Amino acid sequence: MSFWRVLLSIICPPLAVIDKGCGSILITFLLWLCGWVPGVIAALVIVNNPKN
C-alpha cells in the first residue's frame, strides 16, 4: 500500500479502488455517498486487502 494510494483513499475513495473491480468501486461509491468516513474506511480496507 503506497502513500499515494492512501492519500487518494482519504481524498476521493472511489478513485483509490478503481483498479480493484466494479464491485469494489460501487460499494465504495455508495458508502462515500452515505458519508465521507464510511467511504474512506471501505477504500482503506479494500486497498489494504492482501488477497488482491
Side-chain angles (χ1 to χ4, degrees):
M1 187 165 62
S2 70
F3 170 75
W4 298 110
R5 186 64 65 118
V6 172
L7 187 64
L8 191 60
S9 294
I10 294 170
I11 295 171
C12 186
L15 290 178
V17 297
I18 202 144
D19 64 337
K20 302 295 184 181
C22 184
S24 297
I25 296 170
L26 184 63
I27 290 170
T28 306
F29 184 73
L30 290 174
L31 286 171
W32 189 46
L33 286 178
C34 292
W36 179 73
V37 174
V40 170
I41 292 172
L44 289 173
V45 167
I46 291 170
V47 168
N48 199 24
N49 190 1
K51 292 180 184 176
N52 295 333

